[in-house]
Amino acid sequence: MRKLYSSIEQRVEVLKNNPYFALLPQSALDELAAATQLRSYDKEEVIFLEGEECVGLFILHKGGVKLSKLSPSGREVIFKTLGEGATFNEVPVFDGGPHAVNATALEGCQLWVVPPAIIRDMLTRYPQMGRAVILNLAKNLRMFVELVHNVSLYQVTHRLARCLLELPIDPVSGKRIKKVTQVQLAAQLGTVREVLARALKELQRAGAVRIARGKIEVIDEHLLRLWLETN
């Protein structure tokens, strides 16, 4: 981890555009900005570990981050992968507890870090922040309920098909493309690489996807949707 230089104006602009802080007055934004840092992390560098003392709220400036947990046997489950502009680590910031998950850089990334104490102080002084906090925590809770639902009720191939259909469309190719390793994708779906590989081959044989090294391309959305309806 390295601390990077950033101007006070740049920090204020980032905070002003974040939903948690958008309703704060300029004086509060200036106070927050004075405490905010820009940090750089290398690919696969650990940002924080589950159980450690909370270091702050993170806003992803550049790059990608994964949030995960490890089982006692060392198996990793990825709860979420994040892209530029994402905010994460809210739970320990607001409840005062330790980090609930592990956070790791998927690639070289830059992160804004806002200390938890000043955020909790702002929440007390400016109640308008409360609505934004409630809405975002509710959204995260809904996401985790959906994750538990999918892992509990659906086979891996079904979960994979659903995941691929939710991908954004690439503006260049016009296709839904996921660039990820099979290990990362397996962890994200709550399974292991060997089971994921069989699911990918099943969808490839059906003509729904094309698999290249480090990339999965949806070539027939209709087949994927039909597969979801019949399995």
Side-chain angles (χ1 to χ4, degrees):
M1 183 272 289
R2 300 178 303 281
K3 294 180 182 179
L4 302 176
Y5 169 77
S6 60
S7 67
I8 192 72
E9 292 80 12
Q10 187 180 12
R11 282 174 267 163
V12 166
E13 190 65 22
V14 168
L15 295 169
K16 186 188 301 182
N17 290 310
N18 185 276
Y20 285 127
F21 311 120
L23 297 179
L24 291 178
Q26 186 63 46
S27 59
L29 290 171
D30 291 340
E31 189 176 344
L32 275 171
T36 299
Q37 294 180 347
L38 181 60
R39 299 179 182 178
S40 174
Y41 294 83
D42 295 328
K43 181 179 180 180
E44 298 184 358
E45 184 176 356
V46 173
I47 299 165
F48 58 75
L49 292 172
E50 178 185 0
E52 291 181 339
E53 183 180 356
C54 177
V55 295
L57 185 73
F58 290 80
I59 304 170
L60 186 50
H61 183 54
K62 292 181 180 179
V65 169
K66 68 176 179 181
L67 305 180
S68 65
K69 291 177 80 77
L70 291 176
S71 73
S73 63
R75 177 183 168 189
E76 182 184 42
V77 176
I78 298 176
F79 290 111
K80 199 171 186 181
T81 56
L82 306 168
E84 294 178 9
T87 303
F88 62 98
N89 205 38
E90 292 96 329
V91 171
V93 167
F94 294 122
D95 75 3
H99 294 303
V101 295
N102 305 307
T104 309
L106 286 172
E107 54 191 289
C109 65
Q110 295 179 6
L111 295 163
W112 299 101
V113 187
V114 190
I118 192 171
I119 294 176
R120 291 194 286 265
D121 178 58
M122 289 290 174
L123 188 57
T124 301
R125 291 160 53 192
Y126 300 98
Q128 62 265 42
M129 275 184 64
R131 177 174 172 79
V133 171
I134 292 170
L135 287 175
N136 202 65
L137 291 181
K139 181 179 71 174
N140 288 341
L141 177 59
R142 186 179 293 275
M143 180 196 71
F144 285 121
V145 168
E146 184 69 17
L147 175 64
V148 172
H149 174 268
N150 288 336
V151 170
S152 302
L153 299 180
Y154 296 109
Q155 298 294 324
V156 172
T157 309
H158 190 284
R159 303 202 302 265
L160 173 61
R162 184 185 298 272
C163 173
L164 295 175
L165 283 171
E166 291 174 351
L167 292 173
I169 296 176
D170 180 72
V172 177
S173 66
K175 301 284 187 179
R176 299 184 192 274
I177 298 174
K178 190 168 186 68
K179 297 179 181 178
V180 67
T181 69
Q182 289 193 19
V183 172
Q184 290 171 347
L185 184 55
Q188 185 178 338
L189 295 176
T191 186
V192 294
R193 184 183 181 280
E194 292 76 13
V195 176
L196 175 69
R198 290 197 294 270
L200 283 169
K201 287 180 181 177
E202 187 174 357
L203 293 181
Q204 187 174 39
R205 283 196 300 268
V209 302
R210 180 184 296 117
I211 303 169
R213 189 171 184 178
K215 182 174 71 173
I216 304 166
E217 178 182 342
V218 176
I219 58 176
D220 195 322
E221 288 191 24
H222 175 70
L223 284 176
L224 272 187
R225 296 185 191 280
L226 185 64
W227 201 97
L228 285 177
E229 293 171 2
T230 57
N231 291 273

